[in-house]
Amino acid sequence: MKTYRIPEIAQKYTGYDMIQAHTMLPDLSHARLRMLVAFLDQQPALKGHSELYTVAVALVQLGMDTHDLIDTDPDQRNEPEMRSRQLKVLAGDYFSATFYQLLSQAGQIEMISKISGAVCEVNRLKVTLYVRMRQQKLTAEEYLLIMVQLRSTMFLFFSDVLEGTLSRAWAEMLGGISRCEVLRDELFRIESPERFERSWAYWHVMQEGTEEERQQLLQHRCDSAFISSLAIKYNLREQLSEKLKHSASSVLALAGKLESDVLLGELTSIVNALIDKNTGCTPALNETR
């Protein structure tokens, strides 16, 4: 299998000095991008466009993720904060527009339509999630399901682009990898009071916690000591780690049924990267049939 080059290709569009000096961009969704390249490379008719399609999707996803980081707090900001916010707005718009230019120059008009449709669906899911969060009408498992859908929707339409067994396997594998990504990130969110709010752990405590704990969460009185006490009391890390290990095992079991040893090897590498030592999870199985 050819080397995964999407970060290097995307750097041409993301590595501007102005952006790097004054704001932070979210990371590329490497697990999903690596998997997309691997699947597209398995189909001869698509192999020549695999990097073009993947870079286009990567830039659209990055544009949306960058816009999600924009601070909407109405309080007065200092000059560096204002500059960072403005650059996030401009960078997100630029990334979202660049995919159109790349695909139109290559004559891939149908792919533009497919990606645009996926963007609309992602935005619909975000509105649904935000409304339910604001209304406090969300369980931890419902939150997890919607977050997985948000991760996978931008890539889901490739089920219609791929053919045969690849098409049939894509949606299930995508859902599994997206779930692993979400669970890994949720583990890290427990470590930060700022990121704990509206996380899986937050909604779990809102379900299972005491009235006093729920009120403290609602009033945004969540310091590190309080979060640590919740994590221990409700076994939050252990629960998420078990979910992550189970999801990773399911992905590897599905990968083992694929006809391509090359694809199996790439998927195994992706899963192992998602459950590395930083998550506290046991590494996935080695590449086996």
Side-chain angles (χ1 to χ4, degrees), residues 80-94:
E81 290 171 339
M82 284 296 295
R83 182 174 296 174
S84 175
R85 185 181 187 279
Q86 291 168 350
L87 281 171
K88 282 186 173 70
V89 173
L90 294 173
D93 290 345
Y94 171 69

Side-chain angles (χ1 to χ4, degrees), residues 1-13:
M1 177 168 288
K2 68 186 181 187
T3 303
Y4 171 67
R5 302 190 310 131
I6 302 306
E8 290 77 14
I9 299 173
Q11 180 70 14
K12 174 182 177 182
Y13 309 101

Side-chain angles (χ1 to χ4, degrees), residues 185-200:
D185 290 351
E186 293 298 320
L187 270 167
F188 290 127
R189 291 185 69 174
I190 297 174
E191 308 304 323
S192 166
E194 294 78 17
R195 297 193 66 208
F196 184 89
E197 187 173 356
R198 307 301 174 91
S199 66
W200 176 91

Side-chain angles (χ1 to χ4, degrees), residues 83-122:
R83 182 174 296 174
S84 175
R85 185 181 187 279
Q86 291 168 350
L87 281 171
K88 282 186 173 70
V89 173
L90 294 173
D93 290 345
Y94 171 69
F95 300 146
S96 298
T98 301
F99 98 91
Y100 181 91
Q101 181 182 22
L102 288 173
L103 292 175
S104 61
Q105 287 176 342
Q108 297 291 319
I109 306 304
E110 184 177 356
M111 185 58 63
I112 294 174
S113 176
K114 290 180 181 296
I115 292 177
S116 299
V119 170
C120 291
E121 180 60 16
V122 169

Side-chain angles (χ1 to χ4, degrees), residues 14-15 31 52 67 93 106 157 163 199 231 258 277:
T14 63
L52 171 65
H67 280 160
D93 290 345
F157 70 86
E163 298 176 354
S199 66
L258 298 173
K277 62 182 180 181

Side-chain angles (χ1 to χ4, degrees), residues 140 201-211 213-214 233-234 236 239:
Y202 172 96
W203 296 109
H204 181 80
V205 176
M206 290 298 291
Q207 269 184 270
E208 305 295 335
T210 65
E211 180 61 25
E213 289 166 343
R214 288 195 291 268
K233 179 178 179 179
Y234 295 103
L236 299 177
Q239 289 193 62

